[in-house]
Amino acid sequence: MRRDIFQAIADPTRRAILVLIALHAMTPSAIAEHFDMTRQAISKHMKILTECELVKQEYQGREIYYQLEVDIMKEIVKWLVQYRKIWESRFQQLDQLLLTIKKKK
């Protein structure tokens, strides 16, 4: 079962992990060095991100490397862009209304 992506990225630690692995794949130990938490706690976050398909695992010998699934992130951005356009339009309308009110004063 695939977890909800937006629930996964709602957590600030998981967002920070995504930023870390966006540039290059990292092991859970390397990721844990950037946080004040145990490797086990990082592994739990990685499990959630993996279940959401936001990251993928690559085995190199006995090490697991996690890397960002860029295509999934693109899907999220695509979904969010539609709402960005709606809100930009509403803010422009608000700006116009405020200018009109200001001119009347």
Side-chain angles (χ1 to χ4, degrees):
M1 185 172 128
R2 183 172 169 179
R3 286 185 182 254
D4 180 60
I5 290 172
F6 293 101
Q7 263 186 330
I9 62 176
D11 184 277
T13 300
R14 288 192 283 271
R15 287 194 308 268
I17 290 170
L18 292 173
V19 169
L20 274 176
I21 64 172
L23 297 175
H24 57 85
M26 297 177 78
T27 64
S29 296
I31 294 168
E33 290 175 8
H34 295 271
F35 299 93
D36 187 26
M37 60 179 64
T38 64
R39 186 185 180 283
Q40 184 180 8
I42 292 297
S43 292
K44 287 180 182 181
H45 285 294
M46 298 313 297
K47 180 181 178 193
I48 292 169
L49 292 171
T50 302
E51 289 173 357
C52 292
E53 299 176 2
L54 287 168
V55 300
K56 65 180 176 182
Q57 298 175 345
E58 183 179 304
Y59 291 88
Q60 293 180 6
R62 293 192 304 194
E63 290 287 341
I64 299 173
Y65 285 82
Y66 290 95
Q67 59 188 32
L68 186 65
E69 274 289 355
V70 177
D71 290 337
I72 299 295
M73 293 301 290
K74 287 179 182 177
E75 286 181 34
I76 295 170
V77 169
K78 193 172 159 182
W79 186 84
L80 288 172
V81 162
Q82 65 186 335
Y83 293 98
R84 180 180 175 193
K85 289 178 183 177
I86 291 168
W87 283 106
E88 283 177 350
S89 171
R90 290 183 180 175
F91 285 131
Q92 287 174 356
Q93 291 173 0
L94 180 59
D95 286 344
Q96 289 298 338
L97 176 63
L98 293 173
L99 283 173
T100 302
I101 292 170
K102 190 176 181 179
K103 286 179 184 178
K104 287 181 179 181
K105 285 185 174 186

